[in-house]
Amino acid sequence: MRFITAFAFDIKFQWRHGFYFAYAFVCACYWILLNYIPEAYLHKSVILLTFSDPSALGLILAGGILLLERDQGIHDPLFVTPMRTRDYLFAKVASLSCLSLIAAWVIHLTSIGIPKSPVLFSVGVVLTSSLMTLLSISVVVRYHTINGFIMMSQVYALPLALPLLGFFDIWNTKLYLLPTEGTLLLLESAISDLTTVQIGYSLFILLIWNYGIYVWASYSYKKYVLGKIGEGRDGL
């Protein structure tokens, strides 16, 4: 019940601050851009956009939302209620993952059609968005300015973009320990079949990283946000 309340609050907060209108504009720009890309490069371009979109959405918007909430003094009264850290974090992940998923489907439907494996494609988008959202929260709680947050978030996120080198045949070595190797495989399921091993690896690496970053985000939020308002008794 607390999660549902937090999720509904996040959706209203994002709507009130124009995030959905801004993202509708972004999707329109993507659609225009993809119309000018030659057919030979279209599939890889769509996967690249779908890869970068949930990453950027989770990484930048989550941090911006948290900074807005802190500036508006939302955290102090919010955690006087029975709200727990995990409800707060899961609500952020769920609300931004919904937005990422809608954007990813719009990109695909307006460019190359329905993904070949809709379920795997959707799971890849959601797990990537959740990973980046949690990473963003882990970083942003340490900063009080948008400039400081954006600079440091790129430092943490840059290594996760390295699998793109293999995707574009710039570097043939696979970075199997990075979760975004799994992301690219799941997104490629939109245009090609994956083996059982590839599916299992992709889900495993993304889930493990999501859990690890969640633990870090929970610890960071308690220390740098709840600790500042004297709230340290929240459960993981």
Side-chain angles (χ1 to χ4, degrees), residues 9-187:
F9 172 83
D10 281 343
I11 295 294
K12 291 176 183 176
F13 185 88
Q14 293 161 22
W15 179 269
R16 188 167 66 246
H17 286 85
F19 290 116
Y20 285 87
F21 295 106
Y23 226 69
F25 174 75
V26 170
C27 288
C29 291
Y30 286 160
W31 176 73
I32 294 171
L33 174 65
L34 289 170
N35 279 328
Y36 288 95
I37 292 178
E39 186 69 29
Y41 303 103
L42 182 59
H43 282 179
K44 282 208 167 187
S45 299
V46 170
I47 291 175
L48 174 62
L49 282 179
T50 315
F51 173 86
S52 60
D53 187 79
S55 301
L57 179 65
L59 190 65
I60 303 302
L61 280 193
I65 289 169
L66 196 142
L67 287 173
L68 269 175
E69 289 178 348
R70 187 155 57 187
D71 288 344
Q72 295 178 11
I74 288 175
H75 296 145
D76 293 41
L78 184 64
F79 284 93
V80 172
T81 70
M83 181 71 65
R84 294 172 296 185
T85 299
R86 66 168 173 260
D87 298 320
Y88 177 85
L89 294 178
F90 288 164
K92 286 286 182 292
V93 165
S95 61
L96 290 177
S97 292
C98 286
L99 189 53
S100 291
L101 193 59
I102 291 170
W105 271 88
V106 168
I107 291 170
H108 265 264
L109 289 175
T110 57
S111 57
I112 59 177
I114 298 174
K116 190 171 185 179
S117 179
V119 174
L120 291 178
F121 170 77
S122 299
V123 169
V125 172
V126 168
L127 289 180
T128 303
S129 177
S130 65
L131 177 71
M132 291 300 182
T133 298
L134 292 168
L135 176 62
S136 177
I137 293 172
S138 301
V139 176
V140 73
V141 292
R142 291 164 165 78
Y143 299 92
H144 290 275
T145 65
I146 190 67
N147 290 335
F149 156 66
I150 289 177
M151 182 175 67
M152 290 309 301
S153 65
Q154 300 309 308
V155 172
Y156 283 97
L158 186 59
L160 299 180
L162 291 177
L164 286 173
L165 296 176
F167 180 70
F168 287 107
D169 299 320
I170 299 171
W171 187 22
N172 292 325
T173 302
K174 294 292 185 180
L175 302 172
Y176 288 113
L177 293 179
L178 292 180
T180 39
E181 282 284 1
T183 297
L184 287 172
L185 280 173
L186 291 177
L187 295 183

Side-chain angles (χ1 to χ4, degrees), residues 169-226:
D169 299 320
I170 299 171
W171 187 22
N172 292 325
T173 302
K174 294 292 185 180
L175 302 172
Y176 288 113
L177 293 179
L178 292 180
T180 39
E181 282 284 1
T183 297
L184 287 172
L185 280 173
L186 291 177
L187 295 183
E188 286 186 79
S189 71
I191 57 175
S192 60
D193 293 320
L194 299 183
T195 66
T196 303
V197 172
Q198 288 175 321
I199 295 171
Y201 156 74
S202 301
L203 296 176
F204 176 78
I205 194 69
L206 279 165
L207 287 171
I208 286 293
W209 270 78
N210 264 277
Y211 178 75
I213 299 295
Y214 163 73
V215 171
W216 186 33
S218 180
Y219 166 80
S220 300
Y221 195 83
K222 290 173 186 177
K223 180 177 180 179
Y224 293 100
V225 177
L226 297 188

